[in-house]
Amino acid sequence: LLLFFILRAADHMEPAQKKARVDEKSTNLPYAGVRVLEKASLLTSRLTGLLFADQGAEVLLLDEHVCDGSDVDQYLNRNKVTISSLDAVSFASIDIILVDGDDATFERLPHQILLRAVTALRGDGVFGHLPDDIDEDYLSALTGFFTDMDMMAWLDRPVTYTPLKLCSIYAGVIGANSCAAALVDRLRCGLGREIHASRLAAGLSAIGALCLTQTGLPEHLNAVKISQHRKGLDAEKLEEYKHAAIADPVKKQRVF
């Protein structure tokens, strides 16, 4: 992303047009001059749009997600401009298009970047049948956010459930980074691309990152420890619990 910020600062293509397209207060932000069209209701797409909006991009919100006045909706729609149609906007001026799943409303132009928020990557023979708006709890259980985090035991308590939409959140961040990388590459080749941000893949990559340990880095680059490792169950206690479970069918069901 730092490379992209530097390249954007050095980019002098159509300066007058870009200056007219952005708010004066956002001209010093890294994505000033980038225009994003958001037509989505999934958290992944909306979060990607928010990340760009907060960094100076002009995010046009088409067919605004039905807002119930909740703090979440107000948060996700922050710094975005709601429009009822594209009649007043040149479609060719759009740099990034954000949609959910197989939404075919727009056919991207060669220079445009199209991001689709999906559950599984297209062609996935195991999970490809899952709908793109599948329930978040299902994905969290499927990816192992609960069981794997508990087994790793960073927290000083068992991990049983979290209401956070972790797969969609990680997919939104990955989607934003992917779009940023595509913008950088467009400076090289002049072409955009279509990107699929998989909620399932994002959840799995997050689990992998949380479980990652590494050595050899300078101390200031090491990740901050979330918690101390809690002490595991010693062998004697485990045997005690096992014998108690064998003697009591109810406990056996709970332990095994």
Side-chain angles (χ1 to χ4, degrees), residues 146-154 230:
F146 308 143
T147 54
D148 286 3
M149 288 178 70
D150 185 41
M151 290 168 61
M152 295 308 297
W154 301 304
R230 70 177 183 222

Side-chain angles (χ1 to χ4, degrees), residues 4-218:
F4 172 67
F5 298 159
I6 295 172
L7 290 172
R8 288 299 299 184
D11 182 12
H12 299 294
M13 295 186 300
E14 305 175 343
Q17 180 182 4
K18 290 181 180 179
K19 185 176 181 180
R21 277 169 31 179
V22 296
D23 232 336
E24 188 174 329
K25 66 180 180 181
S26 66
T27 53
N28 292 325
L29 292 174
Y31 291 107
V34 173
R35 176 171 279 180
V36 180
L37 175 63
E38 178 185 317
K39 181 183 181 295
S41 60
L42 292 179
L43 173 59
T44 293
S45 307
R46 298 176 70 194
L47 179 58
T48 298
L50 175 64
L51 292 173
F52 275 101
D54 282 352
Q55 295 301 317
E58 181 186 24
V59 179
L60 306 177
L61 192 59
L62 183 63
D63 293 338
E64 182 180 8
H65 172 74
V66 177
C67 183
D68 57 10
S70 69
D71 291 340
V72 172
D73 274 319
Q74 294 179 38
Y75 176 83
L76 290 172
N77 292 340
R78 185 181 66 218
N79 294 331
K80 298 177 183 178
V81 179
T82 303
I83 59 174
S84 58
S85 71
L86 283 175
D87 293 342
V89 180
S90 168
F91 183 68
S93 70
I94 303 296
D95 297 298
I96 300 172
I97 304 169
L98 307 175
V99 298
D100 295 335
D102 293 323
D103 188 320
T105 304
F106 308 108
E107 183 175 351
R108 74 172 185 87
L109 300 176
H111 71 282
Q112 292 174 332
I113 298 160
L114 174 65
L115 177 74
R116 296 188 182 277
V118 300
T119 290
L121 295 174
R122 299 302 183 248
D124 187 325
V126 179
F127 300 108
H129 66 284
L130 296 176
D132 292 319
D133 60 351
I134 195 168
D135 183 76
E136 196 74 26
D137 285 347
Y138 182 93
L139 284 182
S140 291
L142 185 63
T143 55
F145 263 118
F146 308 143
T147 54
D148 286 3
M149 288 178 70
D150 185 41
M151 290 168 61
M152 295 308 297
W154 301 304
L155 303 176
D156 297 321
R157 57 176 175 75
V159 178
T160 55
Y161 176 74
T162 172
L164 295 175
K165 300 183 177 182
L166 296 171
C167 292
S168 290
I169 291 171
Y170 278 103
V173 174
I174 291 174
N177 284 331
S178 299
C179 288
L183 286 170
V184 173
D185 193 54
R186 193 177 70 174
L187 296 176
R188 176 189 64 83
C189 65
L191 297 174
R193 65 190 63 207
E194 180 170 320
I195 300 170
H196 291 187
S198 165
R199 298 162 63 206
L200 178 61
L204 291 172
S205 67
I207 287 291
L210 290 171
C211 296
L212 183 66
T213 57
Q214 50 196 358
T215 58
L217 290 177

